[in-house]
Amino acid sequence: PVDRLAPPEIPLHQAIYEARSDVNCVVHSHAPSGLVFGAVPDELVPLSHEGALLYGEVSRFTLTSNTVLDIAVGRSIAKTLDTGIGVFLVNHGSVVVGKSVRHAVIFALMLERACQLQLTALATGRPVTTSSEVDVVAKREFVFADLSIRAYWDHARRRVLRTAPESRSW
């Protein structure tokens, strides 16, 4: 039995850590654009730098949209995630993983932005151009290198400190 004081969806995190030795951080969120995009049958495309990173790396889990309270459901999500960066929990939210806290948090922020941009593009009803496979590879190698992730992290940290100065003491 799960300790009543444990976070409610701890089996989700446990199952991913169990399945993926390369993962050192799991971010589960209910961010609005990711939640909406997860309910749309379209796949993420390399519309932006963020989309290039996540293109082909985010799957959909459709078994349930309920809170993940048992390890069997967590393991099903981990299986759906496979070797990818993220998974949409359809009508629930998303899960993103990374080799560090920085990577997972930045990838989660990028997922939200990629979803927001693609939803905006879809809303125009017009055809959309996307990056070529060659550009996708180049973006992944340069824009998402460890040094770039650190720069994204530092930028995100500065934004948080500007908007929530009290977070300095957390």
Side-chain angles (χ1 to χ4, degrees):
V2 176
D3 185 309
R4 67 179 187 81
L5 298 178
E9 293 190 299
I10 200 163
L12 166 62
H13 297 257
Q14 289 172 319
I16 292 171
Y17 288 127
E18 176 184 80
R20 297 273 303 268
S21 62
D22 62 314
V23 169
N24 291 306
C25 184
V26 175
V27 174
H28 168 47
S29 78
H30 303 133
S33 295
L35 198 148
V36 171
F37 192 87
V40 173
D42 296 21
E43 295 301 319
L44 277 173
V45 296
L47 178 77
S48 62
H49 285 348
E50 299 86 357
L53 168 71
L54 297 162
Y55 175 60
E57 293 289 332
V58 183
S59 51
R60 277 188 171 70
F61 177 76
T62 59
L63 181 65
T64 182
S65 62
N66 203 354
T67 303
V68 181
L69 299 175
D70 66 73
I71 197 72
V73 174
R75 286 181 178 137
S76 291
I77 292 167
K79 185 176 180 181
T80 301
L81 173 65
D82 195 30
T83 61
I85 294 174
V87 60
F88 292 113
L89 306 178
V90 175
N91 303 116
H92 178 155
S94 63
V95 176
V96 176
V97 300
K99 66 180 182 179
S100 69
V101 171
R102 283 183 181 157
H103 284 81
V105 168
I106 294 305
F107 292 166
L109 292 171
M110 288 180 176
L111 178 62
E112 181 64 4
R113 180 166 163 77
C115 291
Q116 181 182 41
L117 292 171
Q118 192 166 332
L119 287 168
T120 300
L122 288 170
T124 69
R126 307 278 301 175
V128 176
T129 59
T130 59
S131 296
S132 69
E133 292 290 333
V134 170
D135 285 347
V136 167
V137 170
K139 288 177 182 187
R140 286 179 176 173
E141 289 175 0
F142 178 76
V143 177
F144 305 107
D146 288 346
L147 186 59
S148 296
I149 295 300
R150 181 181 181 106
Y152 281 116
W153 173 268
D154 290 345
H155 173 74
R157 186 175 176 274
R158 287 190 305 272
R159 281 184 42 212
V160 168
L161 290 173
R162 264 195 315 274
T163 59
E166 68 277 9
S167 65
R168 287 185 192 280
S169 63
W170 296 350

